[in-house]
Amino acid sequence: MSIGQDVGSWRELGRHTSTSVVLAGGVLVGAITIYVAASLLPTAIQDIGGRPLYAWTMTAFLVAEVVATMVVGQALFRFGGKGSYLIGFGVFAAGSVLCAVSPSMPVLLVGRGTQGLGAGLLTGLGFALIHSALPPRLWSRGSALISAMFGVGNFAGPALGGFSAQFGSWRSAFVVIAVVAAALAVFVPRALPRGERPAQAPPVPVVSLSLIVGATGAVSMAGILSGTLAMAGFIALGLVLVAAFLVTEKRATASVLPGSVYRPGSRLRWIYLTIMVLASGVSVETFLPLFGQRLGGLPPAAAGFFAAALSLGWSVSQLVSASARETRRLVLAGPACLAAGFAVLGLLQTEQPPLPLVLAWLPVLFFGGMGIGIAMPHLSVAAMTSAPEGEGGKAAAGIATVLTMSTAFGAAVAGLLVNLGGPSVLTSARWLLFGFAAISALGLLTARRAA
């Protein structure tokens, strides 16, 4: 991430089209699935029942996804890049088909967990194999392309899920993504290079894995509870388990993240922390349609664009900023833009705002999303290049673990902040936006150490 670094060109990345399609497509199907489920599950429970288990559909997916991202190294050693990708697409497609044919909510939960395993493996492989499947000069553009898929998923997911639910065929959405996964698998044999297996099998970090799964489960539980004290208690439990995870990782010979993260003066730890801060901010998207409808008086379809505005800023700016050679300023500006966007949006919240004021939310959200996009690809490259020799692949795979953990924690914190606002939507909006403005501002401190 040095000044004047040669980052290659999009045309050069185009010479690796099959590789790019597989790496980005694997991340995209997982990202789409999150938003597909959120938009069509209310319709699904009218068909198959299981309302009390509704919230567990996301918990099952997130926990399984975190587990899968943490065993990417094992998969690469045993099956290589091609075999691991075929397994990832196969597991994901099987889970999607199981969701499509589910006769009851318990079966749907099994399908969602299976989807999560496939999605986590595909996401972890996407970041891990940038390191071996693309030349170093293209890592920045490859990282930008892959990371942008999370934003693209926020467009395609609600559209697919909403369209399917609208026409009374929620099962067809799962069939579509299963077919897409199968189609992407066709590219795998010619997309990935030979010899991408690690020299030796990385040991399975059983204790670390158990602690991080427990932490993810606790935080996911917090996100589906209605009581503030109960939510805070599960978040506290999650934080305790994360602390135990870090202590275990530091002492263990078999660790999830590269050992250099825990060494004095490590730059990699600050890179991961900055990624966590930026990625957690995406959790605000969940509640933006609610604010658009309840405060802005917008119809549901129009209110959905407010969540999309943040993702659009993220996706577009990632693709543009990947060309930058001087990246330090972008990494520092990322948390600043995100914090400023949330803070300004919080100030704009008011009861029954006029339409021009509501429309002003869109550029503010786009600006905030840009903060994620201008920094994320360069942080991904920095993670790969900052690790000592032999740990680059593990550092790249660690990005996926950090991202999935950030999603779970961010969602729970967002739910807690909204609940703190009580019955008032305006107060909830201010709690959420100012709260995440403060969290994003913490990224200014970590980014200075990461840049």
Side-chain angles (χ1 to χ4, degrees):
M1 204 165 74
S2 59
I3 296 174
Q5 177 181 336
D6 184 358
V7 295
S9 66
W10 288 113
R11 178 176 295 181
E12 186 178 354
L13 183 63
R15 300 183 191 127
H16 302 267
T17 300
S18 295
T19 301
S20 300
V21 166
V22 169
L23 299 186
V27 174
L28 179 60
V29 292
I32 287 178
T33 303
I34 295 176
Y35 298 106
V36 163
S39 59
L40 59 75
L41 281 174
T43 303
I45 61 174
Q46 295 177 7
D47 183 15
I48 63 176
R51 183 178 294 273
L53 297 175
Y54 170 80
W56 284 95
T57 58
M58 187 59 70
T59 301
F61 183 89
L62 288 175
V63 171
E65 187 177 31
V66 171
V67 171
T69 61
M70 296 170 67
V71 295
V72 168
Q74 280 283 331
L76 285 173
F77 176 79
R78 293 180 180 275
F79 309 108
K82 295 180 182 180
S84 297
Y85 255 108
L86 291 173
I87 291 172
F89 281 124
V91 170
F92 179 84
S96 300
V97 170
L98 185 57
C99 289
V101 301
S102 295
S104 63
M105 183 59 76
V107 177
L108 183 63
L109 289 178
V110 175
R112 289 289 286 159
T114 306
Q115 277 188 319
L117 289 173
L121 184 57
L122 292 171
T123 301
L125 288 169
F127 285 98
L129 291 186
I130 286 177
H131 189 265
S132 60
L134 295 175
R137 59 191 280 113
L138 294 177
W139 286 354
S140 177
R141 295 191 185 276
S143 297
L145 180 63
I146 289 176
S147 298
M149 293 302 102
F150 291 102
V152 174
N154 196 13
F155 289 101
L160 175 59
F163 183 83
S164 300
Q166 181 79 25
F167 290 92
S169 180
W170 62 269
R171 299 178 187 273
S172 64
F174 289 114
V175 173
V176 169
I177 55 179
V179 171
V180 171
L184 288 169
V186 174
F187 288 88
V188 170
R190 63 176 180 174
L192 301 177
R194 296 183 179 275
E196 67 275 10
R197 299 191 186 198
Q200 59 184 41
V204 178
V206 177
V207 177
S208 295
L209 185 62
S210 301
L211 289 170
I212 212 66
V213 168
T216 305
V219 174
S220 297
M221 277 293 298
I224 64 179
L225 295 173
S226 57
T228 301
L229 289 179
M231 290 180 68
F234 273 99
I235 288 179
L237 174 60
L239 292 174
V240 169
L241 291 174
V242 168
F245 163 78
L246 294 174
V247 171
T248 301
E249 281 271 288
K250 186 175 181 179
R251 298 175 178 174
T253 55
S255 61
V256 174
L257 300 176
S260 57
V261 170
Y262 308 102
R263 295 171 192 156
S266 169
R267 179 189 176 204
L268 191 54
R269 75 177 67 168
W270 300 107
I271 293 170
Y272 281 152
L273 285 171
T274 307
I275 291 174
M276 287 188 69
V277 168
L278 292 173
S280 67
V282 181
S283 304
V284 171
E285 290 179 337
T286 305
F287 297 94
L288 292 176
L290 171 66
F291 301 153
Q293 292 180 55
R294 299 285 296 277
L295 295 177
L298 298 172
F305 281 103
F306 287 90
L310 189 70
S311 288
L312 181 62
W314 177 12
S315 301
V316 171
S317 60
Q318 279 191 124
L319 299 177
V320 174
S321 71
S323 303
R325 300 176 185 275
E326 165 46 72
T327 60
R328 176 179 169 81
R329 292 180 181 177
L330 293 177
V331 170
L332 293 172
C337 290
L338 187 59
F342 287 148
V344 171
L345 190 61
L347 293 172
L348 292 177
Q349 302 305 300
T350 182
E351 292 283 4
Q352 298 181 337
L355 182 59
L357 184 61
V358 175
L359 293 178
W361 298 358
L362 289 172
V364 172
L365 283 165
F366 186 88
F367 178 80
M370 285 178 57
I372 303 174
I374 62 177
M376 193 68 76
H378 307 297
L379 288 167
S380 298
V381 174
M384 289 183 273
T385 57
S386 297
E389 185 176 356
E391 285 192 335
K394 191 172 187 178
I399 298 170
T401 301
V402 170
L403 285 172
T404 52
M405 283 296 298
S406 303
T407 301
F409 273 87
V413 172
L416 177 61
L417 290 172
V418 168
N419 279 353
L420 288 175
S424 169
V425 177
L426 176 59
T427 304
S428 294
R430 288 173 176 171
W431 267 101
L432 177 68
L433 295 169
F434 289 137
F436 270 89
I439 292 171
S440 301
L442 293 175
L444 292 170
L445 303 177
T446 61
R448 291 186 64 182
R449 304 292 296 271

